[in-house]
Amino acid sequence: MDIRRSGAVTSERWLACELHTHTLHSDGRQTLHKLAMSAAALELDWIALTDHNTTSGLPGKEEIEQATGISILNGLEWTTFYGHMLVLGFEEQGYADWRMLGPGDLALGLREVKSLGALAGLAHPYRVGSPMCTGCYWEYEISDWSEIDFIEVWSGTFPAVRTSNQRAFALWTDVLNRGYRVAATCGRDWHDSDPGAVEPEPVAVTYAGNDNPANAIAQGAVAVTMGPLLTMTAAAAEGTVAGIGGVLPLTEQSRSIEVSIRLDYECRASKWTLPEQTLEVRLVGNTGVFRTVAMPFGASHAMVSIDTDGLTWMRAELHGVMNECYTMIAFTNAIYCELG
């Protein structure tokens, strides 16, 4: 194993995104302009506007983008009695009706969402439901997970310690283990630009080569963090390389691969704090935790060799102390291993 120290990782460009926001057009307490100004102060690149069952807040977004430097992704939170679904990335303003759907009718709703050219993902699937938050707890029957593009596995501030998010993270792991390639995202569920908020905020960081966050989510090219940016790539002996969300082709004769783990401490560095410590990166896949790597504080790069026998997918998780709590700080989406 090789561990190196260096400055910021600059070989790839990533975009910091908030994918779950609300304005005065639903139950938010802010205008889109105020939301975008607050996003700029948090050093974000993109926000998705996801008001409940409406896109009425989107007209005029171009002027707000120019004024604030924040790019705004078209979206809405498809809000029903049996679950909330984030709809992201449609080209024009669109609306997907939900009023006639029961717990067994999700396929009908997905058909309408997909007709908009949008991505569909579960929002906070295990948040407490009625009577505290009607429909927040996911009750729809999912017959085909290939129709679901992503799961919001971290919701709210300091999300890793919340039991509801831990259940959502376990659900995502189970879906991956069943052979589906579904992305994981996060969202603050941002209703108010309160300058007094002090808890760590989750940020979805998407690969800039995919043009916008929707394209990156569709390809699984997303990392999620409350602190340093964690990324990884995997390389086979034949010279093929796969990044987050990619597929690494393997042969029966060559199953040993090199995994490159990177930590970027410069990503939004003024917006989070960590005590100096040795961090732990866990490589996790369908076989469980198969490798751990100790990363001295400030170390930016580690290389490990692994045997992929029986491995169909893998992700990296960063664990350490944050807010005086030992927790998961960041994770990547999966790289998939596929026998050629």
Side-chain angles (χ1 to χ4, degrees):
M1 180 177 66
D2 178 32
I3 295 178
R4 300 174 189 170
R5 295 177 182 268
S6 67
V9 177
T10 57
S11 59
E12 295 179 324
R13 182 165 176 256
W14 296 77
L15 302 172
C17 308
E18 170 54 60
L19 299 173
H20 191 160
T21 71
H22 298 280
T23 69
L24 295 168
H25 286 259
S26 60
D27 62 344
R29 294 173 292 278
Q30 57 197 343
T31 64
L32 181 57
H33 186 269
K34 182 178 180 181
L35 172 63
M37 289 290 290
S38 299
L42 290 174
E43 300 179 16
L44 300 177
D45 298 294
W46 280 81
I47 57 173
L49 179 58
T50 55
D51 277 320
H52 294 281
N53 290 337
T54 183
T55 59
S56 60
L58 287 169
K61 74 167 189 173
E62 292 81 7
E63 290 80 3
I64 295 172
E65 288 176 323
Q66 292 175 2
T68 62
I70 295 294
S71 298
I72 301 170
L73 184 68
N74 292 356
L76 63 82
E77 186 170 2
W78 192 78
T79 307
T80 81
F81 296 115
Y82 308 108
H84 294 187
M85 184 164 64
L86 292 175
V87 178
L88 301 178
F90 44 87
E91 290 297 326
E92 303 295 335
Q93 292 186 45
Y95 179 78
D97 200 358
W98 58 271
R99 291 168 293 180
M100 303 302 292
L101 302 183
D105 300 324
L106 180 63
L108 298 176
L110 286 170
R111 189 179 308 157
E112 192 165 350
V113 166
K114 295 305 178 85
S115 73
L116 300 174
L119 303 181
L122 280 60
H124 47 63
Y126 292 113
R127 184 177 295 177
V128 63
S130 295
M132 295 180 65
C133 182
T134 299
C136 284
Y137 187 92
W138 188 269
E139 297 181 76
Y140 281 108
E141 301 167 10
I142 300 177
S143 58
D144 184 0
W145 275 97
S146 64
E147 296 180 340
I148 303 296
D149 297 295
F150 63 95
I151 304 171
E152 184 184 65
V153 300
W154 275 6
S155 176
T157 55
F158 204 20
V161 301
R162 299 178 185 236
T163 302
S164 59
N165 290 329
Q166 292 166 359
R167 290 185 67 189
F169 198 88
L171 170 66
W172 174 49
T173 300
D174 179 65
V175 170
L176 293 176
N177 284 340
R178 290 162 58 188
Y180 295 98
R181 295 176 181 176
V182 176
T185 66
C186 67
R188 178 177 169 179
D189 202 353
W190 196 352
H191 286 74
D192 190 4
S193 297
D194 179 9
V198 295
E199 286 192 319
E201 299 167 348
V203 175
V205 189
T206 63
Y207 182 48
N210 290 280
D211 301 321
N212 68 44
N215 291 336
I217 293 168
Q219 297 181 22
V222 183
V224 174
T225 185
M226 298 186 293
L229 171 61
L230 172 68
T231 59
M232 71 171 178
T233 58
E238 295 80 7
T240 55
V241 179
I244 298 170
V247 178
L248 186 67
L250 300 171
T251 65
E252 290 286 358
Q253 293 74 31
S254 178
R255 293 200 175 212
S256 179
I257 65 173
E258 295 288 322
V259 176
S260 174
I261 302 163
R262 292 188 178 274
L263 279 177
D264 182 356
Y265 289 86
E266 298 302 316
C267 181
R268 301 179 65 249
S270 67
K271 304 304 174 185
W272 52 268
T273 59
L274 285 179
E276 187 167 339
Q277 61 190 292
T278 296
L279 297 165
E280 181 182 67
V281 174
R282 300 176 190 172
L283 296 181
V284 183
N286 55 294
T287 58
V289 179
F290 60 87
R291 190 69 178 267
T292 60
V293 180
M295 298 284 286
F297 200 72
S300 65
H301 186 209
M303 291 283 293
V304 295
S305 299
I306 63 170
D307 188 333
T308 61
D309 188 30
L311 198 65
T312 60
W313 64 268
M314 59 182 163
R315 67 170 176 251
E317 301 174 0
L318 180 67
H319 293 256
V321 175
M322 188 176 222
N323 263 24
E324 301 182 343
C325 176
Y326 190 84
T327 187
M328 189 188 305
I329 298 169
F331 64 89
T332 72
N333 267 268
I335 294 175
Y336 303 94
C337 299
E338 194 172 83
L339 280 175

